[in-house]
Amino acid sequence: MASDERQGIQSVEVAMEVLTALEEARRPVSLSTLANLSGLQPSKVHRYLVSLVRSGLAAQEKTTGLYTLGSAVRRLGIEALRRVDEAGIASQHAIELRDRTQHTVLLVTWSDAGPTLIRWDYGAYPLPISVRVGSVLPLIDSSAGRVCYAYLPQAITKPVLRAQEKRGEARAYTDEELTKIVNDVRSTQVCITAGAIIPGLSVVASPVFGPGDGLALVLGFALPSRELTAPVTRRLSDDLLKASRLITADLGGQVKDPPAEAGQA
């Protein structure tokens, strides 16, 4: 019984290889290109394409004869996106990350009010702060906020930043300072602040991307600043990048290659 369950249907797996090749091509492609991408013989790819086109999972352009993904794939993709629970998926990784590193892990999403804390899992290190889920963080004076500012459109972030400055919740930054913050975050995909909001508290944050390459969430560590030595910074930055990439993949986002060096304080 167990053996039968493991066997599966090989033809379905091969068809998925062809569909994956169509997806990875990012454009309509020829039969020979699909064969190269999938590692299958052209004759075999053609046989599968006939069935995939009939089912609507693939399509062949009438004018060029090139192959692309079909309407059925688009319908499946839309429904899959509708069912994605970003916070739920990320939370599973956040708990594992907390248990493995023993450091407090946080998740932040964007709301109309700004960067909003949606999960805070305490670790083994006492923190000089009591955090309430649902709290709105400063946009530039927090690591998670800076990640949001770096990857979200300014049409969304600028009004929140100006409102926080007006209320005295953030100091005023020059355009040059803001540009440097964006460039620093994007160059490493990691943002670190020490004592920016609470004295003695450091936060390391990294972006999580969803479908369409847009920012979905921010994943981060919170720890006492005294614990953030250079070796710890490198290790936690690497752990964070790996976890962020795993969550991005689970959400259907485009996984980016990790930077050569991360975690520069």
Side-chain angles (χ1 to χ4, degrees):
M1 191 77 172
S3 176
D4 291 340
E5 291 175 353
R6 286 195 299 268
Q7 286 178 0
I9 309 288
Q10 186 177 12
S11 59
V12 174
E13 296 172 4
V14 176
M16 192 61 205
E17 292 180 20
V18 177
L19 287 173
T20 300
L22 280 171
E23 184 269 332
E24 291 177 346
R26 306 292 183 189
R27 67 185 189 284
V29 291
S30 65
L31 175 63
S32 60
T33 299
L34 271 181
N36 288 332
L37 289 172
S38 63
L40 303 172
Q41 291 296 320
S43 58
K44 187 172 186 177
V45 173
H46 182 263
R47 291 197 301 272
Y48 277 88
L49 281 171
V50 170
S51 294
L52 291 172
V53 170
R54 286 175 182 170
S55 65
L57 293 171
Q60 186 176 23
E61 296 182 344
K62 293 181 179 180
T63 55
T64 65
L66 299 178
Y67 292 94
T68 189
L69 294 173
S71 59
V73 170
R74 289 192 290 274
R75 292 195 300 272
L76 289 171
I78 291 171
E79 178 58 20
L81 289 176
R82 188 185 68 81
R83 298 186 186 186
V84 167
D85 176 7
E86 294 179 345
I89 291 173
S91 292
Q92 299 174 29
H93 291 276
I95 293 172
E96 189 278 332
L97 191 61
R98 187 275 311 273
D99 291 344
R100 180 161 50 82
T101 65
Q102 297 297 298
H103 285 290
T104 297
V105 175
L106 58 98
L107 280 174
V108 170
T109 190
W110 182 263
S111 70
D112 292 342
T116 303
L117 185 69
I118 61 172
R119 189 175 186 98
W120 180 276
D121 292 301
Y122 281 100
Y125 298 86
L127 300 178
I129 185 175
S130 178
V131 176
R132 179 175 60 85
V133 171
S135 299
V136 177
L137 305 176
L139 184 54
I140 301 300
D141 294 331
S142 68
S143 294
R146 289 187 176 192
V147 172
C148 289
Y149 187 81
Y151 287 101
L152 290 174
Q154 289 197 2
I156 296 175
T157 58
K158 280 287 189 180
V160 171
L161 177 58
R162 298 311 175 208
Q164 289 187 349
E165 290 174 350
K166 186 176 181 179
R167 295 193 300 266
E169 298 171 358
R171 76 172 180 86
Y173 286 80
T174 66
D175 289 340
E176 290 76 14
E177 288 175 318
L178 293 173
T179 298
K180 184 178 186 305
I181 287 171
V182 170
N183 292 337
D184 288 346
V185 173
R186 290 183 177 179
S187 66
T188 62
Q189 295 182 26
V190 172
C191 182
I192 301 172
T193 55
I197 305 177
I198 303 295
L201 179 70
S202 291
V203 176
V204 187
S206 183
V208 173
F209 300 100
D213 211 24
L215 181 72
L217 297 164
V218 180
L219 179 69
F221 286 115
L223 64 156
S225 295
R226 65 179 181 276
E227 300 290 339
L228 197 63
T229 62
V232 171
T233 298
R234 288 191 294 269
R235 177 170 56 80
L236 292 185
S237 296
D238 289 342
D239 286 341
L240 200 59
L241 281 170
K242 291 175 183 176
S244 297
R245 286 165 56 83
L246 287 173
I247 300 171
T248 294
D250 282 353
L251 294 180
Q254 183 66 38
V255 176
K256 304 175 186 297
D257 291 332
E261 292 185 3
Q264 300 300 315

